C-alpha cells in the first residue's frame, strides 16, 4: 500500500531552492528574512500541505531545556518618566527584578533605556536600540493612562505591563485586578464586614483600567443595605477623607495606600478593633502589617519574559493586529489590619454576590 511522504522543511527548501534554516525562520516570521521571502515560503508550505511535527517540536524543546544557557540577545527595559529613575517604585521594582532574573535564565541580558534622556530623538532611540542588539522591549508602566510613544517599533517584539500606554497598543501582561479585587471583597464579607468603604486615587483608577471600581460596585450590587460611595481623590487630602469617613462610617476601608491607615489611627481609632483596613495591592516586605491582595508581581514578571521571548522566537514584531492580554491572579494575605473572624452576633446575610 503506498504511503504519503511527509512534507518537511527540507521539502519546501528544495522546492524553492532555499536553505532549510531560511525556510524555518521564514515560517517563524523572523524579521531578518525579507518579507517577500516569508510570503513565498508560507505560500509554498500551504500548497504542499506542510504541518509542523508536534513530537519533533516537543523533542527539540526538551533538548533545548537541557542545554546550558548561553547569551542570545538583549532585552530593553523602556522607561518614559520625567526622570531616569522615576519608575522605581513598588511593583515596578518587583517587575524589574523578576524580569532580569527570568531573562538571565533564558540567556538574555536586560538593559535600561530612558526615552527622556537629553537630546533623545525618535531616530536616535531606534538607532541605539538596534546598535545594542536589543530585539525585545518591555514598556514600563507610567504614572498616567494616556501616554503615547509613536515611534517606529516595527523592528522589535514589544510588551507592556498593564494599561498605561494608550498608543500603540501592544500585547500586555498584568495582574488580574478585577478577579483579585473580587477575592478581596469575598474575604471581607466572610469576616463579617458590611459597610465597605473604598478610597482610590483617580490616577490609580485609570491605571487599573477601572477594574477595581468595577469589581467593587459589582459585588456590592446585591448587598442588602445602602452602600458607601467610593471616595476618589488626587492626591489624598486629609480633610476630605475625614469628612467622607465620618459621614459614612465604613467598618472597613479598602485602598491602595497605607497613608490612610496612619490617618485613621491618628484620630484615636484602633485597627482592626474599631475599623478594618485592607490593601487592594500590597507590596510584600514594604507593607508587612497590612492585610490585602498580593499581586504576585514576580510571577507577572516571569510570565512577561516568557511571552516576550516566545514572540522573539516566532519572529513576531511590530504592533499586533489583535492585542492579547495575559492576566495573573492575585492571592490573599492575612495581615494584622482585619479581624480574624466574623463576630458571633452578626446577623445572617442571605444574599451577597
Amino acid at each position: 500500500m503506498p504511503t504519503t511522504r511527509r512534507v518537511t522543511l527540507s521539502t519546501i527548501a528544495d522546492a524553492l531552492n532555499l536553505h532549510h534554516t531560511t525556510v524555518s525562520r521564514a515560517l517563524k516570521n523572523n524579521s531578518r528574512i525579507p518579507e517577500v521571502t516569508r510570503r513565498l515560503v508560507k505560500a509554498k508550505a500551504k500548497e504542499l500541505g506542510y504541518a509542523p511535527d508536534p513530537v519533533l517540536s516537543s523533542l527539540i524543546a526538551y533538548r533545548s531545556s537541557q542545554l546550558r544557557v548561553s547569551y542570545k540577545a538583549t532585552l530593553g527595559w523602556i522607561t518614559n518618566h520625567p526622570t531616569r529613575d522615576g519608575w522605581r517604585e513598588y511593583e515596578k521594582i518587583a517587575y524589574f527584578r523578576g524580569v532580569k532574573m527570568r531573562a538571565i535564565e533564558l540567556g538574555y541580558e536586560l538593559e535600561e533605556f530612558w526615552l527622556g534622556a537629553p537630546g533623545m530623538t525618535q531616530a536616535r532611540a531606534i538607532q541605539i536600540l538596534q546598535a545594542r542588539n536589543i530585539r525585545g522591549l518591555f514598556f514600563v508602566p507610567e504614572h498616567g493612562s494616556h501616554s503615547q510613544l509613536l515611534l517606529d517599533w516595527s523592528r522589535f517584539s514589544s510588551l507592556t505591563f498593564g494599561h498605561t500606554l494608550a498608543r500603540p497598543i501592544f500585547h500586555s501582561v498584568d495582574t488580574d485586578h478585577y478577579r483579585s479585587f473580587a477575592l478581596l471583597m469575598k474575604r471581607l464579607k466572610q469576616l463579617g464586614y458590611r459597610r465597605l468603604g473604598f478610597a482610590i486615587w483617580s490616577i490609580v483608577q485609570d491605571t487599573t483600567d477601572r477594574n477595581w471600581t468595577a469589581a467593587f460596585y459589582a459585588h456590592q450590587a446585591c448587598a442588602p443595605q445602602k452602600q458607601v460611595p467610593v471616595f476618589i481623590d488626587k492626591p489624598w487630602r486629609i480633610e476630605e477623607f475625614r469628612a467622607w469617613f465620618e459621614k459614612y462610617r465604613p467598618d472597613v476601608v479598602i485602598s491602595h495606600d497605607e497613608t490612610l491607615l496612619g490617618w485613621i489611627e491618628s484620630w484615636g481609632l484602633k485597627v482592626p478593633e474599631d475599623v478594618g483596613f485592607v490593601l487592594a495591592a500590597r507590596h510584600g516586605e514594604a507593607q508587612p502589617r497590612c492585610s490585602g491582595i498580593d499581586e504576585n508581581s514576580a510571577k507577572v514578571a516571569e510570565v512577561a519574559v516568557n511571552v516576550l521571548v516566545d514572540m522573539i522566537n516566532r519572529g513576531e514584531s511590530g504592533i499586533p493586529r489583535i492585542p492579547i492580554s495575559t492576566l495573573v491572579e492575585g492571592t490573599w494575605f492575612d495581615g494584622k489590619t482585619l479581624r480574624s473572624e466574623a463576630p458571633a452576633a452578626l446577623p445572617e446575610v442571605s444574599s451577597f454576590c
Side-chain angles (χ1 to χ4, degrees):
M1 181 177 178
T3 58
T4 302
R5 183 182 177 188
R6 181 176 180 81
V7 177
T8 66
L9 295 178
S10 295
T11 307
I12 303 171
D14 290 343
L16 296 173
N17 197 27
L18 296 172
H19 195 277
H20 67 88
T21 56
T22 301
V23 172
S24 175
R25 290 170 179 169
L27 291 174
K28 292 178 180 178
N29 282 321
N30 192 308
S31 58
R32 296 181 181 180
I33 304 300
E35 185 177 351
V36 63
T37 304
R38 281 182 273 163
R39 288 201 302 265
L40 184 65
V41 169
K42 290 176 184 178
K44 180 59 70 172
K46 184 176 180 180
E47 175 190 329
L48 296 175
Y50 169 78
D53 185 337
V55 175
L56 181 59
S57 297
S58 297
L59 179 60
I60 293 172
Y62 171 76
R63 286 178 174 173
S64 298
S65 69
Q66 303 305 305
L67 295 174
R68 186 173 182 177
V69 174
S70 58
Y71 171 74
K72 294 183 177 68
T74 301
L75 304 177
W77 184 258
I78 310 301
T79 68
N80 192 38
H81 291 68
T83 62
R84 183 180 299 275
D85 295 322
W87 63 271
R88 295 182 182 274
E89 58 182 4
Y90 294 125
E91 77 281 357
K92 298 170 192 175
I93 295 176
Y95 289 163
F96 180 77
R97 291 172 179 168
V99 164
K100 190 164 189 174
M101 182 179 301
R102 181 57 177 160
I104 290 173
E105 291 175 352
L106 297 180
Y108 290 84
E109 293 183 354
L110 184 67
E111 183 173 343
E112 294 182 49
F113 189 86
W114 181 36
L115 293 175
M120 187 62 63
T121 64
Q122 172 177 335
R124 180 62 176 158
I126 299 299
Q127 182 184 29
I128 292 174
L129 290 171
Q130 288 185 300
R132 294 179 182 175
N133 194 31
I134 295 177
R135 298 173 57 191
L137 307 177
F138 294 101
F139 289 91
V140 183
E142 301 194 37
H143 290 297
S145 61
H146 308 293
S147 62
Q148 300 185 32
L149 295 175
L150 303 181
L151 306 184
D152 179 11
W153 304 115
S154 60
R155 300 176 179 86
F156 308 96
S157 301
S158 303
L159 189 75
T160 64
F161 293 94
H163 308 280
T164 62
L165 187 59
R167 291 180 63 195
I169 301 178
F170 294 119
H171 298 315
S172 66
V173 177
D174 199 5
T175 299
D176 191 334
H177 291 112
Y178 186 93
R179 288 180 61 86
S180 297
F181 202 96
L183 172 62
L184 179 151
M185 297 286 285
K186 180 179 179 181
R187 183 58 179 153
L188 291 179
K189 290 169 183 179
Q190 289 173 342
L191 293 175
Y193 291 102
R194 295 295 179 259
R195 290 188 57 77
L196 281 57
F198 180 33
I200 183 173
W201 276 15
S202 58
I203 193 170
V204 174
Q205 177 156 271
D206 287 341
T207 56
T208 56
D209 205 23
R210 287 175 163 74
N211 277 297
W212 281 351
T213 310
F216 179 79
Y217 282 128
H219 283 258
Q220 290 290 75
C222 54
Q225 72 274 3
K226 186 177 180 180
Q227 295 304 300
V228 178
V230 175
F231 176 75
I232 302 176
D233 204 1
K234 177 191 175 183
W236 298 131
R237 290 166 292 184
I238 188 170
E239 299 82 6
E240 284 77 3
F241 175 69
R242 185 163 189 172
W244 171 83
F245 183 87
E246 292 182 348
K247 179 177 180 179
Y248 297 105
R249 289 291 175 181
D251 57 5
V252 61
V253 173
I254 309 165
S255 189
H256 52 86
D257 187 353
E258 202 174 358
T259 299
L260 303 185
L261 172 61
W263 287 353
I264 291 170
E265 292 181 322
S266 73
W267 301 334
L269 296 172
K270 294 182 179 180
V271 177
E273 292 83 357
D274 298 325
V275 60
F277 183 82
V278 61
L279 288 172
R282 61 181 302 279
H283 302 285
E285 297 177 358
Q287 298 160 319
R289 179 189 173 196
C290 291
S291 307
I293 294 293
D294 186 336
E295 293 197 308
N296 295 322
S297 298
K299 188 64 177 179
V300 172
E302 178 187 339
V303 172
V305 177
N306 293 342
V307 171
L308 186 62
V309 169
D310 189 41
M311 291 170 60
I312 292 173
N313 291 338
R314 293 197 310 270
E316 181 180 343
S317 60
I319 302 171
R321 186 174 64 86
I322 302 177
I324 298 173
S325 297
T326 304
L327 301 178
V328 176
E329 292 196 28
T331 52
W332 177 258
F333 177 82
D334 280 316
K336 300 179 180 179
T337 54
L338 294 176
R339 61 172 73 115
S340 58
E341 58 184 15
L346 189 73
E348 189 70 22
V349 176
S350 59
S351 176
F352 271 123
C353 297

